[in-house]
Amino acid sequence: MFYRESGQFKSAYAADQAMFPILQDRIGMAVILAVAFVGVPMVANDYFLSTLLIPFLIFALAAIGLNILTGYCGQLSLGTGGFMACGAFAAYKLATALPEMNIVVVFLLSGFVSAAVGVVFGVPSLRIKGFYLAVATLAAQFFLIWLFTKVPWFVNYSASGVISAPPRDVFGFYVTGIEATAEAKYIFCLSFVAVLALVAKNLVRGRVGRAWMAIRDMDIAAEIIGIKPLQTKLLAFAVSSFYCGVAGALWAFIYTSSVEALAFDINRSFQILFMIIIGGLGSILGSFLGAAFIVLLPIFLNVVPTAIGVPLSTAMIAHMEFMIFGALIIFFLIVEPHGLARLWQLGKEKLRLWPFPH
């Protein structure tokens, strides 16, 4: 088969521990990136880019952030929407207060603001865990949304409470605002997600990632061998909140072009949690697979019933989404706790050994 790795010898430890040690993986990733950056903008229309690919990329970035905290470090969080809101409002305040600042710097700084907030709300993780930590982060979710809704300073004292993202350009091309094209928004969002996903992949493969996984598997044993729970857990909250903050800024500036606190309510936090459970806990690939599933499921529920002559109402489709999400979460927790990413990994292993039994 085309996925066999015979003849690919590793002469160094670094080569054996590379991100893509098999040549076919490296070629496949290069092809995927080429198609994403060049092929998709050439053939996709504005609707496909604006309503499917851009939210998929933003959801994937937020899922990576939550996966770092929950999947790799084992700290359950229900405050993802609140940290996304931190990034969105921080980006708005920075963009309006410092209009000459590059939008890339604005998004990165908004991520750092969200990281600082995440560290503050991550302090309880030093004393509590599991269900109690989930409740603590849930309180952070409600508090942050209440804060952004009730304090008019965050919306520059706008009477409506909903403000539009100011137009900004990169290298002369508008990427935010009504002047920006769907192709420019998609390329900008894809570049952000690709770079941050690469950083996350390297981070979890290194010393920091091993410390997170040690805390996740058995925190007492990790502390005995020299891993400091304080720094490790707070770093996980900071990195996770940074990713969620950047995702929130992209959501407000690139996808909706408006900054609204209710867009990041508790439903958004549960939606991101569903992504990493279905896609796979402790997997960067699982974050992308889960985000793709969440984005494509409503379209599937709209298209398939209509195609077979059973049109469904919008309310019925919304209820079916929740029922399917719940059933799939129970299914994956029982049958395959590592989600779609594990199924993909098993498929690759079978290809590497085919036609021999596995």
Side-chain angles (χ1 to χ4, degrees):
M1 287 291 286
F2 64 90
Y3 200 66
R4 306 301 285 271
E5 55 180 312
S6 58
Q8 300 184 34
F9 303 106
K10 310 297 188 301
S11 58
Y13 180 77
D16 188 57
Q17 296 297 316
M19 185 180 301
F20 302 107
I22 302 176
L23 176 62
Q24 291 89 331
D25 286 340
R26 295 194 293 271
I27 295 175
M29 182 54 61
V31 170
I32 291 173
L33 290 176
V35 170
F37 277 99
V38 180
V40 171
M42 293 177 61
V43 300
N45 55 29
D46 289 355
Y47 173 81
F48 189 76
L49 293 173
S50 300
T51 61
L52 289 180
L53 291 182
I54 290 177
F56 157 69
L57 292 171
I58 298 173
F59 278 141
L61 186 61
I64 290 174
L66 182 58
N67 225 336
I68 287 174
L69 182 63
T70 302
Y72 285 99
C73 196
Q75 308 301 303
L76 184 58
S77 173
L78 296 177
T80 309
F83 299 132
M84 290 178 69
C86 285
F89 281 94
Y92 175 74
K93 294 298 294 184
L94 289 170
T96 52
L98 302 169
E100 69 282 355
M101 182 178 291
N102 187 280
I103 191 63
V104 175
V105 179
V106 168
F107 285 173
L108 292 177
L109 289 179
S110 66
F112 285 114
V113 171
S114 183
V117 176
V119 169
V120 172
F121 286 104
V123 171
S125 68
L126 307 177
R127 301 296 298 272
I128 57 178
K129 63 179 65 175
F131 172 77
Y132 301 100
L133 180 59
V135 172
T137 55
L138 186 63
Q141 163 74 35
F142 287 116
F143 171 75
L144 290 172
I145 298 302
W146 172 86
L147 182 68
F148 295 133
T149 304
K150 296 299 182 181
V151 179
W153 179 81
F154 289 106
V155 295
N156 288 348
Y157 301 96
S158 171
S160 64
V162 180
I163 59 268
S164 299
R168 292 292 182 270
D169 67 283
V170 176
F171 301 119
F173 296 95
Y174 279 98
V175 295
T176 65
I178 59 175
E179 297 88 349
T181 62
E183 291 81 3
K185 290 182 177 182
Y186 166 75
I187 293 293
F188 179 78
C189 191
L190 177 62
S191 302
F192 242 105
V193 174
V195 171
L196 290 179
L198 180 64
V199 172
K201 183 66 175 177
N202 279 285
L203 195 62
V204 299
R205 291 168 60 243
R207 179 180 59 85
V208 173
R210 291 193 295 270
W212 286 340
M213 287 181 277
I215 290 291
R216 174 196 66 191
D217 295 337
M218 188 172 293
D219 52 355
I220 297 177
E223 188 173 6
I224 290 174
I225 64 175
I227 296 175
K228 299 178 180 179
L230 172 63
Q231 292 89 328
T232 305
K233 291 182 179 181
L234 290 185
L235 180 60
F237 268 94
V239 175
S240 172
S241 300
F242 174 84
Y243 275 74
C244 293
V246 174
L250 290 172
W251 181 276
F253 277 67
I254 304 297
Y255 180 48
T256 63
S257 296
S258 64
V259 187
E260 184 181 7
L262 295 180
F264 307 103
D265 60 3
I266 186 62
N267 293 323
R268 189 71 64 205
S269 297
F270 280 116
Q271 192 177 32
I272 306 299
L273 182 62
F274 294 161
M275 290 179 192
I276 65 170
I277 293 176
I278 295 173
L281 290 168
S283 170
I284 301 299
L285 174 62
S287 302
F288 285 93
L289 295 177
F293 183 88
I294 296 295
V295 171
L296 293 176
L297 180 62
I299 299 173
F300 177 82
L301 293 177
N302 273 288
V303 172
V304 173
T306 304
I308 63 177
V310 188
L312 299 176
S313 65
T314 304
M316 175 60 72
I317 291 174
H319 286 107
M320 287 184 64
E321 285 182 38
F322 283 108
M323 289 188 291
I324 293 174
F325 289 156
L328 285 174
I329 288 172
I330 295 173
F331 172 80
F332 279 112
L333 289 177
I334 296 174
V335 178
E336 185 49 75
H338 296 288
L340 295 173
R342 179 57 181 168
L343 298 180
W344 172 255
Q345 184 181 5
L346 291 174
K348 290 172 61 177
E349 292 176 359
K350 291 183 182 297
L351 281 177
R352 292 167 69 178
L353 296 174
W354 187 90
F356 303 103
H358 183 61

